[in-house]
Amino acid sequence: MELETCQSVKSPRLIMAILWPAFLMACVSCGVLFTLIDPLDLIVLGEKFNMSSQAGYTLGFVIFWLLGCVASTATVVLLIKPR
């Protein structure tokens, strides 16, 4: 895929070039993190999380996916050639 041919940020290929690698990294990151740490044992700012394990897994996945989206977006922006 040539990134300079994507005229719009709303191009489906461009959006998938950002979301798909971020999704894969979120899967791997959650798998590694939650293999080592139980979400019920997390303490943030001196307070213990008061949520179910499933909610902790979901929150962790969403956070990792957002971080992956930021990294993928930065990569795409750096690869697009200026006109």
Side-chain angles (χ1 to χ4, degrees):
M1 174 177 83
E2 294 181 16
L3 292 175
E4 61 270 4
T5 61
C6 296
Q7 299 295 326
S8 170
V9 173
K10 295 180 182 178
S11 167
R13 290 185 67 151
L14 186 61
I15 291 171
M16 287 312 296
I18 293 170
L19 293 179
W20 184 243
F23 176 80
L24 294 176
M25 283 311 301
C27 292
V28 171
S29 299
C30 278
V32 170
L33 177 69
F34 293 126
T35 297
L36 301 172
I37 299 172
D38 183 15
L40 295 177
D41 295 335
L42 291 176
I43 298 174
V44 177
L45 301 174
E47 297 289 327
K48 195 165 188 165
F49 269 143
N50 189 15
M51 61 175 62
S52 67
S53 289
Q54 187 174 6
Y57 295 134
T58 303
L59 181 63
F61 180 81
V62 169
I63 290 170
F64 282 127
W65 198 1
L66 289 175
L67 289 173
C69 286
V70 169
S72 293
T73 302
T75 302
V76 168
V77 167
L78 292 173
L79 288 175
I80 293 177
K81 296 178 182 175
R83 292 181 178 204

